[in-house]
């Protein structure tokens, strides 16, 4: 059902919501690097960049995202002119920023020492990363739809809610994949240090996806009546 909400239109130019898309752009750019990093870590090969170089690129994107977050927070309009609840907005910026923080932590764990990921776990590990990245990618249409809803005097509430559900459904896949892989690795004959490192990496991928789900929940609260 499409409705007109003139109040949101009146405050659109003063809303900082559009800045969230700039911030998400840094996160989006990092996702392909994370996938490439893991491919290099596991498989290597001449066509592959050095793992540390890829990790450094992710670090640079995280720093750029932090600058955008601070710019958004430091230039918030007064409460009267906010298109959405200010507390929810600040909570959202924190949750979205945590996505890349968790990705950084996950790569940090891998970089501590080289772990030779056994062949039996490689496909599952790559799948876990792909599914976690997909959760973050699924957040993009949810954010774009919410920004359009807040900035426009025409919106489709039902379609916007469906984008939030898509994020939650995708994160559920990540949670199940992470649990199955963690159990398999923990029960394997790998040395303890390798298991410890890999479990922390899996946790980081799960947390990255979980923060994307948190973002969707906060977006849902922003448009709640």
């Amino acid at each position: 059902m499409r409705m007109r909400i003139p109040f949101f239109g009146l405050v659109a130019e003063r809303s900082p919501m559009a800045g969230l898309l700039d911030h998400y752009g840094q996160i989006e750019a990092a996702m392909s690097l994370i996938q490439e990093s893991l491919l290099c870590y596991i498989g290597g090969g001449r066509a592959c960049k050095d793992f540390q170089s890829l990790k450094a690129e992710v670090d640079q994107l995280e720093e750029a995202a932090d600058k955008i977050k601070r710019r958004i927070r430091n230039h918030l309009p007064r409460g009267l002119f906010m298109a959405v609840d200010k507390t929810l907005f600040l909570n959202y910026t924190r949750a979205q920023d945590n996505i890349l923080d968790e990705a950084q932590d996950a790569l940090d764990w891998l970089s501590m020492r080289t772990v030779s990921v056994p062949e039996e776990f490689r496909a599952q590990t790559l799948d876990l990363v792909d599914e976690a990245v997909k959760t973050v990618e699924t957040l993009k249409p949810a954010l774009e739809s919410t920004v359009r809803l807040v900035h426009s005097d025409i919106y489709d509430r039902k379609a916007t809610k469906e984008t939030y559900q898509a994020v939650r459904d995708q994160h559920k896949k990540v949670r199940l994949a992470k649990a199955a892989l963690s159990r398999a690795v923990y029960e394997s004959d790998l040395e303890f240090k390798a298991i410890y490192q890999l479990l922390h990496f899996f946790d980081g991928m799960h947390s990255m996806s979980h923060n994307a789900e948190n973002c969707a929940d906060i977006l849902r609260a922003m448009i709640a009546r």
Side-chain angles (χ1 to χ4, degrees):
M1 181 176 68
R2 299 174 72 83
M3 301 176 63
R4 298 183 69 84
I5 44 175
F7 173 74
F8 285 151
L10 288 173
V11 297
E13 293 184 359
R14 308 198 65 167
S15 171
M17 292 290 287
L20 297 178
L21 292 171
D22 295 337
H23 183 265
Y24 181 87
Q26 304 302 313
I27 296 171
E28 184 178 35
M31 291 301 106
S32 60
L33 290 175
I34 291 168
Q35 290 173 308
E36 189 179 353
S37 297
L38 189 60
L39 281 171
C40 292
Y41 192 89
I42 291 178
R46 292 183 178 180
C48 190
K49 289 184 186 176
D50 176 66
F51 175 78
Q52 294 297 340
S53 298
L54 289 164
K55 183 177 174 301
E57 290 185 52
V58 173
D59 290 343
Q60 290 171 2
L61 288 169
E62 197 281 332
E63 289 177 12
D66 273 349
K67 288 180 182 177
I68 294 173
K69 182 190 72 174
R70 287 195 293 272
R71 187 189 70 207
I72 295 171
R73 286 172 164 245
N74 291 338
H75 293 85
L76 286 179
R78 293 182 181 277
L80 179 63
F81 301 108
M82 284 288 288
V84 298
D85 180 271
K86 183 177 284 186
T87 300
L88 288 175
F89 182 83
L90 293 173
N91 288 343
Y92 182 87
T93 60
R94 187 180 304 112
Q96 185 166 286
D97 200 57
N98 285 344
I99 293 173
L100 213 41
D101 288 344
E102 294 294 346
Q104 263 189 315
D105 285 347
L107 295 183
D108 283 345
W109 273 102
L110 282 189
S111 69
M112 286 184 184
R113 59 190 284 274
T114 301
V115 176
S116 178
V117 180
E119 179 68 33
E120 62 186 299
F121 299 131
R122 290 182 182 179
Q124 272 183 284
T125 303
L126 291 170
D127 285 344
L128 174 63
V129 173
D130 287 345
E131 295 293 349
V133 166
K134 196 177 295 182
T135 308
V136 177
E137 291 173 342
T138 309
L139 176 63
K140 183 178 183 180
L143 176 59
E144 290 177 333
S145 183
T146 306
V147 172
R148 280 198 300 271
L149 188 153
V150 171
H151 282 178
S152 172
D153 61 351
I154 299 176
Y155 76 100
D156 188 335
R157 177 181 290 272
K158 183 173 182 295
T160 303
K161 286 182 178 178
E162 288 173 352
T163 63
Y164 306 151
Q165 187 59 48
V167 179
R168 285 193 284 269
D169 291 343
Q170 180 57 35
H171 175 64
K172 184 178 179 180
K173 295 179 183 177
V174 174
R175 182 170 57 78
L176 294 174
K178 180 248 182 180
L181 182 56
S182 297
R183 188 180 305 112
V185 168
Y186 192 75
E187 292 175 347
S188 72
D189 294 328
L190 281 172
E191 64 171 326
F192 174 75
K193 285 196 291 188
I195 292 175
Y196 194 75
Q197 258 183 284
L198 289 175
L199 291 185
H200 273 284
F201 175 73
F202 302 157
D203 283 343
M205 289 294 102
H206 175 268
S207 295
M208 187 176 79
S209 172
H210 193 205
N211 275 288
E213 184 192 40
N214 287 341
C215 287
D217 289 342
I218 297 171
L219 291 176
R220 175 70 180 83
M222 284 182 181
I223 68 166
R225 300 283 184 177

